[in-house]
Amino acid sequence: MQDQNVNHTNPASSIQHPASKRYLFDNPRNVKILLGCFYASLLVLLIIEWFVHKHPHFDWEAWPEFYAVYGFVACVVLVVAAKYILRPLVKRREDYYD
């Protein structure tokens, strides 16, 4: 009598080709769910800011959504500076290593 718990699968068949492996974010539905959660959390944080008492050092820090706008503008400035100032400094010709 054979043991019923013996795995009869071929071990070679369980190995998948790396290109055929599916990851979590290969499915567009999962990406949409993640972005929905991300935007919902942003909205919740923007709403919560109206109910949190701030301790501003400067008058403009008391403006509604000041830190959200400040963070966005700082990120845009960082990207523009990296693109137009830093990139020309570190960029090499295509055949630099040839």
Side-chain angles (χ1 to χ4, degrees):
M1 179 163 192
Q2 291 182 337
D3 187 12
Q4 298 295 325
N5 294 329
V6 173
N7 188 1
H8 296 286
T9 60
N10 183 4
S13 67
S14 63
I15 299 173
Q16 294 181 346
H17 189 269
S20 66
K21 188 174 181 181
R22 300 275 304 173
Y23 294 98
L24 179 65
F25 296 117
D26 287 341
N27 186 355
R29 182 176 176 267
N30 293 337
V31 174
K32 286 182 181 179
I33 291 172
L34 180 71
L35 287 176
C37 292
F38 175 70
Y39 291 130
S41 65
L42 287 177
L43 182 65
V44 167
L45 289 173
L46 288 175
I47 292 170
I48 287 175
E49 188 180 350
W50 286 90
F51 303 106
V52 174
H53 178 69
K54 300 176 189 174
H55 302 280
H57 294 281
F58 303 102
D59 291 340
W60 56 82
E61 291 182 72
W63 296 348
E65 312 303 340
F66 168 76
Y67 289 107
V69 173
Y70 178 76
F72 179 75
V73 170
C75 184
V76 168
V77 168
L78 185 65
V79 169
V80 170
K83 184 174 183 178
Y84 294 108
I85 297 172
L86 297 177
R87 185 175 181 211
L89 292 175
V90 297
K91 185 178 176 183
R92 298 288 181 250
R93 294 186 325 264
E94 188 173 320
D95 58 346
Y96 178 76
Y97 293 106
D98 293 337

